[in-house]
Amino acid sequence: KQWYQRRVAITAGVEGGFRYPMDYNYVIQNFTSFRYGREVAPGVTQTFLYMFVPSEQLAGGSRTFSLVMSLNYRGEDGTLYTDSPFNETVSVHEVDEGFDTEIFFMYVLLAALFALLLFGAQYLFSSAFGGRKSSRKTIETGTSGGIDYDYIPKDHLTAKKAKATKRD
């Protein structure tokens, strides 16, 4: 700690990760490594933003992890140093507040399956027990008194009758 009170340091980057609490050589999850390249004057305190998201698989339960943040910096002579400003045992908890989309879509799927089951049962019962008897609609075939040829020109009627007799 006395080193950077007397000399200028250039911050190379910050990295972090979860480690097994009993063995720091065993890494559970690595986080993103941020490169800064900021110069820090002697006796000055510098704050660095470091954001990370733990894996959802680590949430819940009673397991604890060691959260280790490493600060890499170079001295004026170019020598690379590593320091751990944060090295604590933490627990990861999942927030149970809010809207759970997985449960919502499960209920939507169950409602759709239930509606499909009701539709299938209605179809089976209506076909098995007769359901509705549809009355046949009568199709109009014309008048029984014959065809009224008064509105058709006479030359059309003679052409049609000639073609009809050639076919027979």
Side-chain angles (χ1 to χ4, degrees):
K1 305 269 177 187
Q2 296 292 326
W3 182 87
Y4 48 95
Q5 287 183 354
R6 290 182 270 138
R7 297 189 179 123
V8 174
I10 299 173
T11 305
V14 177
E15 55 191 29
F18 281 142
R19 299 184 184 268
Y20 186 63
M22 303 299 170
D23 184 9
Y24 284 106
N25 294 324
Y26 184 70
V27 178
I28 296 173
Q29 181 183 1
N30 277 326
F31 298 133
T32 305
S33 177
F34 288 110
R35 304 289 174 218
Y36 291 104
R38 291 187 192 164
E39 187 174 300
V40 180
V44 175
T45 302
Q46 182 71 42
T47 303
F48 297 99
L49 177 66
Y50 184 80
M51 295 183 293
F52 62 92
V53 178
S55 174
E56 292 180 10
Q57 297 172 347
L58 301 176
S62 61
R63 293 181 48 191
T64 57
F65 306 102
S66 292
L67 177 59
V68 180
M69 306 300 292
S70 298
L71 174 66
N72 301 318
Y73 56 92
R74 293 190 184 280
E76 289 177 333
D77 58 352
T79 308
L80 183 64
Y81 298 95
T82 301
D83 191 18
S84 294
F86 189 85
N87 187 356
E88 299 283 330
T89 302
V90 295
S91 295
V92 179
H93 297 283
E94 184 177 10
V95 179
D96 289 335
E97 300 173 0
F99 183 70
D100 191 1
T101 56
E102 185 177 344
I103 299 296
F104 172 73
F105 284 114
M106 182 184 68
Y107 284 131
V108 168
L109 177 68
L110 288 175
L113 289 174
F114 183 71
L116 185 65
L117 182 69
L118 286 177
F119 178 73
Q122 183 268 339
Y123 179 75
L124 287 175
F125 286 132
S126 67
S127 64
F129 296 117
R132 289 189 223 171
K133 302 281 186 199
S134 62
S135 61
R136 277 193 95 157
K137 293 184 180 181
T138 57
I139 299 173
E140 184 65 35
T141 59
T143 58
S144 60
I147 301 173
D148 184 17
Y149 290 107
D150 291 339
Y151 68 93
I152 301 175
K154 300 292 183 203
D155 58 338
H156 286 280
L157 289 175
T158 56
K160 294 286 182 181
K161 287 181 183 176
K163 286 182 183 177
T165 56
K166 288 182 184 177
R167 286 185 207 161
D168 294 336

